[in-house]
Amino acid sequence: MSHPADDERILADMERGLTHDDPALKATLETLNQQFPKQPEQSVKARLSRRDPRLVTAVVLAVIALLGLILTAALNSSPAPPAGEITRPAAHSAALTTYR
């Protein structure tokens, strides 16, 4: 991959060559450059410092909801019976003891 500075240099060389051959293109490019001046790239730190508070709130609430679902599933799950043990439903075993 080429470095962004190399890309900019190559594009600038191409622009100079094209504008040298075509004065109308040169005038158009100068007009566009005046209308849209080059803006410096925003640093990652600057972009991270301006997060949308609604997005942050939505992400935090989604994480809390996911943790709540996981905890609910973990706490409501019934323990598995030991290996080899046969279990009977509670209603069935109660009915057997009352009719005997």
Side-chain angles (χ1 to χ4, degrees):
M1 285 180 85
S2 62
H3 194 270
D6 293 337
D7 292 341
E8 288 181 25
R9 183 185 52 79
I10 292 169
L11 288 173
D13 290 341
M14 289 172 55
E15 183 180 336
R16 275 192 296 277
L18 290 171
T19 55
H20 178 69
D21 295 338
D22 189 359
L25 178 63
K26 181 178 182 178
T28 303
L29 288 176
E30 286 176 357
T31 304
L32 287 173
N33 286 335
Q34 289 173 358
Q35 289 178 354
F36 304 103
K38 184 175 180 180
Q39 297 175 348
E41 291 290 324
Q42 293 179 347
S43 68
V44 174
K45 189 174 184 179
R47 279 185 279 160
L48 292 177
S49 67
R50 289 185 273 150
R51 289 189 177 147
D52 186 12
R54 292 177 293 183
L55 178 64
V56 173
T57 303
V59 169
V60 168
L61 290 176
V63 169
I64 290 171
L66 182 64
L67 288 175
L69 286 173
I70 292 171
L71 284 174
T72 301
L75 294 176
N76 286 336
S77 65
S78 60
E85 183 178 317
I86 300 174
T87 59
R88 296 183 184 153
H92 182 45
S93 62
L96 288 177
T97 56
T98 56
Y99 291 118
R100 286 187 184 180

